């Protein structure tokens, strides 16, 4: 299922007002369907979920694992690459009818209009527009900023590069009220890092994404993002 242009504004997420009807009018007319394969660089970190992350979930998502994560990602190539991205998954959730614990992404921003379209149309990811500074795995200072918000990360790498493979499921509410999940699979090399995070913006963002020092990793490799089921 791929959402049409009229449905793109209805994808649930925070900072929804950042995607205006005028910006939607500038989006491409169509997008490549999932799955997408990309080579990426990423700085990611985990954190303890806040109480607000359990209260603010959409219908169909049940609070579960009290741990979240966030990531700066540079897509070096791919279906609509290259582009840069910041995302936050504030806590684990369960979904009636689906097995296991899933992530959930109510906040995600990119510097590419084709990515805004593709993320919303393929996976109901509420992508908005942002500007970026710094490249994961190569720069110690990363920054993303949009209309009324900013997210900063200072990265200190620890230890050697080691082989890394991993996968995670993400569950997203769709405009018509259903919840669908998709899996992202990573393979490449990673190293541990300490990530000092600063978050400025409205409470709907800062209440879900805590600042401070967090354990994380930097990653170089490939990701395959599957179609939602």
């Amino acid at each position: 299922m791929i959402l049409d242009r009229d449905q793109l504004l209805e994808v649930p997420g925070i900072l929804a007002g950042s995607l205006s009807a005028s910006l939607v009018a500038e989006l491409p007319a169509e997008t490549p369907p999932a799955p997408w394969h990309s080579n990426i660089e990423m700085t990611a970190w985990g954190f303890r979920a806040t109480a607000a992350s359990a209260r603010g979930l959409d219908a169909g998502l049940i609070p579960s694992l009290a741990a979240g994560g966030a990531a700066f990602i540079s897509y070096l190539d791919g279906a609509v690459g290259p582009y840069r991205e910041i995302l936050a998954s504030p806590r684990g959730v369960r979904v009636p009818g689906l097995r296991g614990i899933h992530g959930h992404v109510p906040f995600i921003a990119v510097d590419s209009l084709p990515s805004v379209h593709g993320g919303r149309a393929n996976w109901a990811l509420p992508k908005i527009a942002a500007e970026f500074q710094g490249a994961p795995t190569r720069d110690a200072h990363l920054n993303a900023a949009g209309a009324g918000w900013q997210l900063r990360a200072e990265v200190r790498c620890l230890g050697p590069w080691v082989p890394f493979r991993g996968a995670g499921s993400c569950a997203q509410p769709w405009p018509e009220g259903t919840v669908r999940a998709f899996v992202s699979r990573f393979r490449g090399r990673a190293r541990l890092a300490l990530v000092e995070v600063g978050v400025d913006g409205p409470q709907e963002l800062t209440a879900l994404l805590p600042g401070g020092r967090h354990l994380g990793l930097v990653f170089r490799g490939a990701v395959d993002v599957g179609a939602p089921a």
Side-chain angles (χ1 to χ4, degrees), residues 82-123:
Y83 64 92
R84 290 176 289 184
E85 177 175 280
I86 177 70
L87 64 85
S89 176
R91 71 176 305 120
V93 299
R94 291 189 180 274
V95 179
L98 298 180
R99 297 177 60 184
I101 298 175
H102 311 266
H104 164 59
V105 177
F107 170 73
I108 180 169
V110 297
D111 62 357
S112 160
L113 291 181
S115 179
V116 170
H117 186 281
R120 286 176 172 259
N122 277 300
W123 298 282

Side-chain angles (χ1 to χ4, degrees), residues 88-168:
S89 176
R91 71 176 305 120
V93 299
R94 291 189 180 274
V95 179
L98 298 180
R99 297 177 60 184
I101 298 175
H102 311 266
H104 164 59
V105 177
F107 170 73
I108 180 169
V110 297
D111 62 357
S112 160
L113 291 181
S115 179
V116 170
H117 186 281
R120 286 176 172 259
N122 277 300
W123 298 282
L125 288 166
K127 292 190 176 184
I128 57 176
E131 296 182 351
F132 291 79
Q133 295 177 329
T137 80
R138 288 176 283 166
D139 295 320
H141 303 281
L142 306 174
N143 186 81
W149 63 270
Q150 183 180 37
L151 199 150
R152 305 171 302 281
E154 295 187 12
V155 185
R156 181 162 67 90
C157 292
L158 307 170
W161 290 95
V162 297
F164 178 89
R165 298 179 76 93

Side-chain angles (χ1 to χ4, degrees), residues 1 8 10 16 18 23 31 35 50 52 60 82 96 98 101 110 130 133 158-159 163 174 177-178 185 200 210 227:
M1 176 179 180
L8 297 182
E10 301 172 5
S18 297
L23 185 61
T31 192
T50 67
L98 298 180
I101 298 175
V110 297
Q133 295 177 329
L158 307 170
W174 286 60
T178 61
R185 303 183 187 279
D200 299 314

